Amino acid sequence: MLESNKSFVLFQLLLLFSVVLIYIRSPSTGSLEPQEVEPLKEPPPADRLVVLVRDGLSAQTFLANRCTNVPLLQELFLHQGLVGVSRPEKTTYHSISPYISLFSGFNEDAVRVARDWVGNSAPIDSIFDRCKRSFAWTTTELISRFPKIERSREFSFETFGEGVTKSCSELEDFVCRSVQRFLRGGSRLLLNSSEVIFFIHMTSVKSSCESLQRIQENVYKLYTIFEKTFPDHRTAYLFTSNLGDPQAKTLMSALLGVPPPVYSRGMLPKGMLNSSLRYEANAMLTNAKQLLAQARRLRELHPKKLPAFWLNFQMMDNFLKESLALKKQRRFRALLDYSCNFMPVLIMGMDYFKDYYRHVLVIAVSFAGIGWIYCLRCHLTVGKKCRVQTEIQEVTSSKRLVYARGFHRLLTGLLVILMMLERIPLVVQAILLIPSLYWMTTLKVMGERPKMVCRKSLISTILLALICLGGFLRRYILAVGYFGFASYNNRDAFQRRGLQFYLWLLLLLGLTGLSALPESLGCSQPSALMFSILLTILRPLACGVYLNLLTWLSNLLVFLAALEYILIGWHPWVTYMVSWIYLGFVAIWQRRNLQASEVFFFNLSTLYTLTCTSYESVVIQMLAMELQLALRMKLNRNESIGPKTAAHYILVYSWYSLFVIGSFPAFDDYLDILHETCFGYSPLTYGLVMVLKLILPWLLVLCILAGNYKNLASLERQIFVRLLLMNSAMSLVLLHGVTDVGPWMEILSRLAEFAVVQAFPVLWLLLWRLTQLKVGSKWMLQLPK
């Protein structure tokens, strides 16, 4: 079953694909109907609601010194309103997500944000859908997410003007003027209307004493003109920040007397309504019934007989019966408290069922990963020492192997029967059966291979995997591991010291110490970039390498364009065009001559420099020179490296090439300044530039290995299996750090860490084949020693 590299690749990527499925699968409650609001003799607290949202305004800044910084608003709070601190749930941060949460009560998960990101956003039921009339002064992007906002011809519907771009304060003033013009125009048609909402989006600027003064003036001005326009005192006002608190949305619904949005998770704050006890109790019950409908639907989508959250259908029905009984008995205080206390239980039940399968599926993939690691161990070549020593482990006897296979088939059969009876979704069934596939393969391999590599020979492999894994937590962990690995593998050089040795040691110490500096990835330092360009040009000359004329001309032309872009930048498009042409030149053309490895080394260094904004290129070239010197000293001592050592070199140097300049979260900062690179920024090409930034150092490491040890081409399978083993073990740990809740970039970063580690052996195989094509072993025989 695992007789070719393709089969290894498929098994490796299947685990990655399974994890992606786990986290893009989001349980849907389907279509729900809004709750009916019982008509009461008393009207709701307000006919109109004005929601003012000020971006970036924290409670600490606004409420400091008991609101003495905003005296005009302080007067309103003391005599006509309530003040509180909003504590939103942990949301997936996206530029739109807080507003979705504010007006829909729905915290977007990573799946929905990803769908919106690729342009497949779907409208969400919001407070605007519940109101009869709705108006908004906000960005076009937000308007597109709330399509029920009215676009009536009778009114001047305005968004931010295209010409207003000077400052956030001017945008805020522009919004205020637009609202005033609207109210002076057709607002009289709304005098007798109810269930009307106005959304006024005030833009963001860093809070200060001056900005607070401007904020309060604009808010007070808007309050005054609304009160003058609607003198019936039936207008409510909500002033909040863009924190995405679902509680504010259920408060909006209760103020206007409309049902809350059907997917809202918000809970009406107790005591926040200026109304009778009866009205507040009915509003609280409507809120609880809406949450109950979601919890019931989620419970219906999950197995009925398997252990589940203790909130069952009977308890849900009892809540409705007891609530109706309290309402009939006119015990509104008890009804208010009962509904208020029951809603958090419903929220916990919804959270439980949202992640009901996810935890089990992650465990299933982990169990499959353990089987895959054991299978890879069976494919490792047994070393000569292990053949002689008694540590060679015999595979379990054939009798025990038969029992293991029988037990495996029994468990698989029982699992299939259980899933069919419980009608578990097909995607979930497929992932739950993945461990069966991997362990079946492992048991088959164990039956075919009588010997496995001993545990002792795996100690160094496990240790290096742990060190590289530590790089994801702290850069200095991998730095110390890199220094120890390089020193140990070149330990004989300490006894035969010379010029090469001291130069190598200086590079090694410098590269180790660089991990203590701030990350250069994502930093904009033009002077450091110019130094990188200079070093890239001088390095071949300093090393005594004389390249052909075409190579020098092509690289010098690119660097001249880059220098003009950095120093003057009159025509950036010229630099962009030259850089992309050069990328195609390196990818397609490579002279196969006596200097194949040096030519490719120089071209890759140039190409990597074009992706830089700081001194990253200096670091990567230092790392390449250190590796080159270390391998040449080994060759001078007639030391060879086997597949195990080669795999260790590839793993340590590849990952250190990333962590010595930054980390996965730093790619977010790099994306923000991508337009400053010589490739520029384009929505169609920025992904390719990010990939180049990641894999070019890896390709450089492989070129150095292939250029120094021509026999490694024949050891491809053994190196590949060893890399699969180490990276599978690392990804198994990173798997449990993947999440779908929190800031969007944190979610993306953790998933990217797992995905890149899992796919690294496959990427290595592709890059290795490319290396063999460019500086392959059949030309290495002609290289000068």
Side-chain angles (χ1 to χ4, degrees):
M1 185 175 290
L2 294 174
E3 297 177 354
S4 65
N5 287 340
K6 290 183 180 179
S7 57
F8 280 98
V9 169
L10 290 176
F11 270 77
Q12 185 76 1
L13 294 184
L14 180 58
L15 289 174
L16 174 59
F17 181 67
S18 301
V19 173
V20 173
L21 278 181
I22 292 173
Y23 285 94
I24 68 171
R25 181 185 177 274
S26 181
S28 174
T29 56
S31 58
L32 297 174
E33 294 296 328
Q35 298 295 316
E36 295 183 3
V37 178
E38 180 183 357
L40 301 176
K41 294 181 180 179
E42 60 179 302
D47 291 335
R48 291 163 234 97
L49 175 62
V50 180
V51 182
L52 299 104
V53 179
R54 179 52 163 79
D55 293 356
L57 186 61
S58 66
Q60 182 179 4
T61 302
F62 189 77
L63 303 179
N65 302 320
R66 298 185 178 182
C67 299
T68 55
N69 295 327
V70 283
L72 294 176
L73 299 184
Q74 183 191 44
E75 195 67 21
L76 290 177
F77 298 154
L78 291 175
H79 297 93
Q80 301 183 44
L82 295 173
V83 179
V85 178
S86 176
R87 293 182 175 87
E89 298 180 22
K90 189 177 181 181
T91 60
T92 300
Y93 184 74
H94 184 265
S95 59
I96 303 297
S97 297
Y99 305 98
I100 298 294
S101 180
L102 182 65
F103 294 110
S104 300
F106 175 81
N107 288 330
E108 292 188 302
D109 56 14
V111 179
R112 190 170 187 99
V113 172
R115 291 172 180 169
D116 298 339
W117 185 52
V118 297
N120 295 325
S121 58
I124 303 175
D125 188 60
S126 67
I127 184 68
F128 301 113
D129 296 79
R130 305 277 75 81
C131 296
K132 294 179 181 177
R133 311 291 293 272
S134 57
F135 305 92
W137 288 263
T138 183
T139 62
T140 305
E141 186 178 11
L142 268 174
I143 292 293
S144 65
R145 296 303 304 275
F146 300 111
K148 292 301 178 68
I149 292 178
E150 188 171 329
R151 293 174 171 83
S152 177
R153 292 182 180 178
E154 291 86 358
F155 303 102
S156 175
F157 183 84
E158 299 183 52
T159 58
F160 295 157
E162 294 181 359
V164 185
T165 58
K166 292 184 179 179
S167 69
C168 293
S169 299
E170 291 188 10
L171 285 175
E172 187 174 302
D173 294 341
F174 171 76
V175 172
C176 294
R177 291 194 300 269
S178 299
V179 176
Q180 292 176 16
R181 287 197 299 269
F182 168 75
L183 294 178
R184 286 196 299 263
S187 58
R188 61 183 179 275
L189 300 177
L190 299 173
L191 286 174
N192 298 321
S193 300
S194 60
E195 301 178 9
V196 181
I197 185 171
F198 302 90
F199 168 35
I200 303 174
H201 187 184
M202 305 172 74
T203 56
S204 173
V205 68
K206 187 176 181 180
S207 298
S208 62
C209 294
E210 294 78 9
S211 65
L212 281 177
Q213 182 65 25
R214 192 169 195 142
I215 291 169
Q216 76 149 350
E217 289 176 357
N218 284 326
V219 172
Y220 190 80
K221 188 186 301 182
L222 289 172
Y223 165 76
T224 303
I225 193 171
F226 266 104
E227 285 296 296
K228 184 178 180 181
T229 306
F230 304 105
D232 55 2
H233 301 290
R234 297 286 298 161
T235 304
Y237 302 87
L238 177 63
F239 181 38
T240 184
S241 182
N242 59 332
L243 297 176
D245 189 2
Q247 322 305 334
K249 190 280 312 159
T250 51
L251 178 61
M252 296 182 214
S253 303
L255 286 171
L256 295 175
V258 298
V262 294
Y263 303 113
S264 171
R265 290 168 49 91
M267 295 178 288
L268 176 63
K270 189 177 180 180
M272 292 291 289
L273 293 178
N274 184 19
S275 62
S276 66
L277 181 62
R278 177 182 178 182
Y279 183 88
E280 186 175 5
N282 276 279
M284 194 73 75
L285 177 59
T286 302
N287 190 180
K289 289 165 67 176
Q290 177 267 329
L291 291 175
L292 182 65
Q294 295 184 69
R296 180 183 289 275
R297 179 64 59 85
L298 284 172
R299 181 67 185 91
E300 291 171 351
L301 296 175
H302 291 80
K304 309 300 186 296
K305 297 179 181 179
L306 292 179
F309 189 70
W310 56 268
L311 183 63
N312 52 35
F313 291 117
Q314 184 178 358
M315 295 185 67
M316 297 180 189
D317 294 336
N318 289 340
F319 167 74
L320 290 176
K321 292 178 182 179
E322 294 173 8
S323 299
L324 293 176
L326 291 173
K327 186 175 181 180
K328 188 175 182 180
Q329 297 169 11
R330 303 181 65 83
R331 297 169 59 188
F332 298 117
R333 175 68 65 184
L335 176 61
L336 177 65
D337 293 338
Y338 186 36
S339 301
C340 185
N341 294 332
F342 194 72
M343 284 193 287
V345 179
L346 293 171
I347 294 293
M348 287 190 293
M350 293 163 62
D351 289 336
Y352 177 86
F353 288 114
K354 177 185 177 183
D355 296 328
Y356 185 84
Y357 290 118
R358 183 164 297 159
H359 300 304
V360 179
L361 295 179
V362 169
I363 293 173
V365 172
S366 301
F367 194 58
I370 294 173
W372 178 233
I373 292 173
Y374 200 81
C375 180
L376 292 171
R377 181 194 171 190
C378 297
H379 281 84
L380 292 179
T381 302
V382 178
K384 295 181 180 180
K385 294 182 180 179
C386 286
R387 292 180 186 276
V388 179
Q389 296 173 354
T390 57
E391 291 107 355
I392 298 179
Q393 299 179 355
E394 294 286 342
V395 178
T396 52
S397 62
S398 58
K399 188 176 182 180
R400 290 184 180 180
L401 197 58
V402 170
Y403 287 150
R405 288 174 176 171
F407 183 67
H408 168 264
R409 292 170 183 171
L410 176 63
L411 285 181
T412 303
L414 292 176
L415 180 61
V416 170
I417 293 173
L418 180 62
M419 291 189 298
M420 293 179 65
L421 291 176
E422 292 292 340
R423 297 181 179 179
I424 293 177
L426 294 178
V427 175
V428 178
Q429 291 189 38
I431 298 176
L432 288 176
L433 288 175
I434 282 181
S436 176
L437 171 64
Y438 281 84
W439 280 101
M440 178 184 69
T441 306
T442 301
L443 292 173
K444 182 179 179 181
V445 172
M446 290 172 63
E448 295 174 352
R449 292 178 177 266
K451 299 181 185 293
M452 288 190 299
V453 67
C454 61
R455 295 189 183 96
K456 186 177 180 180
S457 67
L458 291 175
I459 293 178
S460 59
T461 297
I462 296 172
L463 180 61
L464 288 177
L466 289 175
I467 289 173
C468 292
L469 189 62
F472 289 91
L473 303 176
R474 296 289 187 273
R475 294 164 63 207
Y476 66 83
I477 297 177
L478 182 54
V480 173
Y482 156 76
F483 178 80
F485 172 79
S487 301
Y488 177 79
N489 278 277
N490 215 14
R491 57 190 181 276
D492 290 342
F494 287 87
Q495 301 175 0
R496 305 177 183 178
R497 294 182 291 274
L499 180 60
Q500 276 192 341
F501 167 78
Y502 288 111
L503 180 58
W504 166 77
L505 186 60
L506 183 63
L507 288 170
L508 181 62
L509 292 173
L511 287 164
T512 304
L514 281 172
S515 62
L517 299 179
E519 298 177 340
S520 60
L521 181 62
C523 295
S524 178
Q525 298 171 329
S527 58
L529 180 56
M530 291 176 61
F531 178 72
S532 299
I533 293 174
L534 181 63
L535 178 68
T536 306
I537 296 174
L538 295 180
R539 189 203 60 81
L541 298 177
C543 296
V545 177
Y546 300 97
L547 304 170
N548 58 74
L549 181 61
L550 180 60
T551 300
W552 274 115
L553 290 177
S554 59
N555 285 269
L556 288 176
L557 175 63
V558 172
F559 281 137
L560 286 175
L563 288 173
E564 188 278 334
Y565 176 65
I566 298 170
L567 295 174
I568 305 174
W570 283 340
H571 304 289
W573 63 271
V574 175
T575 304
Y576 302 157
M577 181 181 67
V578 170
S579 300
W580 284 107
I581 292 174
Y582 182 78
L583 172 61
F585 166 77
V586 175
I588 298 173
W589 183 90
Q590 173 69 31
R591 289 192 64 182
R592 297 171 177 175
N593 59 10
L594 298 183
Q595 295 177 322
S597 60
E598 287 295 344
V599 169
F600 206 44
F601 190 164
F602 187 41
N603 289 342
L604 289 181
S605 300
T606 301
L607 194 59
Y608 184 78
T609 305
L610 298 178
T611 69
C612 296
T613 57
S614 184
Y615 61 88
E616 312 101 288
S617 180
V618 176
V619 179
I620 297 303
Q621 292 188 64
M622 286 174 59
L623 186 67
M625 291 169 65
E626 183 273 315
L627 177 60
Q628 184 81 290
L629 284 172
L631 295 180
R632 284 182 179 177
M633 285 190 291
K634 292 177 74 72
L635 287 173
N636 291 337
R637 298 190 301 268
N638 295 321
E639 294 181 15
S640 61
I641 60 174
K644 177 181 175 181
T645 306
H648 291 172
Y649 266 107
I650 293 167
L651 183 77
V652 173
Y653 277 81
S654 294
W655 286 114
Y656 195 59
S657 68
L658 170 63
F659 289 115
V660 74
I661 64 170
S663 60
F664 276 91
F667 272 96
D668 184 24
D669 299 326
Y670 176 69
L671 181 60
D672 293 336
I673 60 173
L674 193 62
H675 62 280
E676 298 184 20
T677 68
C678 294
F679 284 103
Y681 177 85
S682 170
L684 299 177
T685 60
Y686 79 92
L688 178 58
V689 179
M690 299 284 279
V691 171
L692 288 175
K693 188 73 172 180
L694 180 67
I695 68 172
L696 282 178
W698 299 354
L699 184 58
L700 194 56
V701 169
L702 296 182
C703 289
I704 294 172
L705 281 169
N708 285 276
Y709 289 95
K710 57 183 178 294
N711 64 319
L712 290 181
S714 62
L715 304 175
E716 178 184 277
R717 168 66 69 85
Q718 300 173 45
I719 298 174
F720 184 43
V721 173
R722 182 78 62 167
L723 287 174
L724 284 171
L725 176 67
M726 292 187 289
N727 285 273
S728 296
M730 291 169 57
S731 62
L732 195 60
V733 178
L734 293 174
L735 168 61
H736 296 274
V738 180
T739 181
D740 68 333
V741 177
W744 170 241
M745 292 312 301
E746 179 184 348
I747 295 172
L748 190 61
S749 175
R750 292 189 178 186
L751 182 60
E753 289 174 358
F754 167 80
V756 175
V757 171
Q758 185 74 11
F760 176 80
V762 180
L763 293 174
W764 171 84
L765 187 61
L766 296 175
L767 295 176
W768 181 252
R769 298 288 176 86
L770 178 62
T771 302
Q772 294 302 312
L773 177 64
K774 297 298 183 181
V775 291
S777 58
K778 61 184 178 181
W779 296 288
M780 292 300 104
L781 294 173
Q782 305 174 10
L783 287 177
K785 297 183 181 180

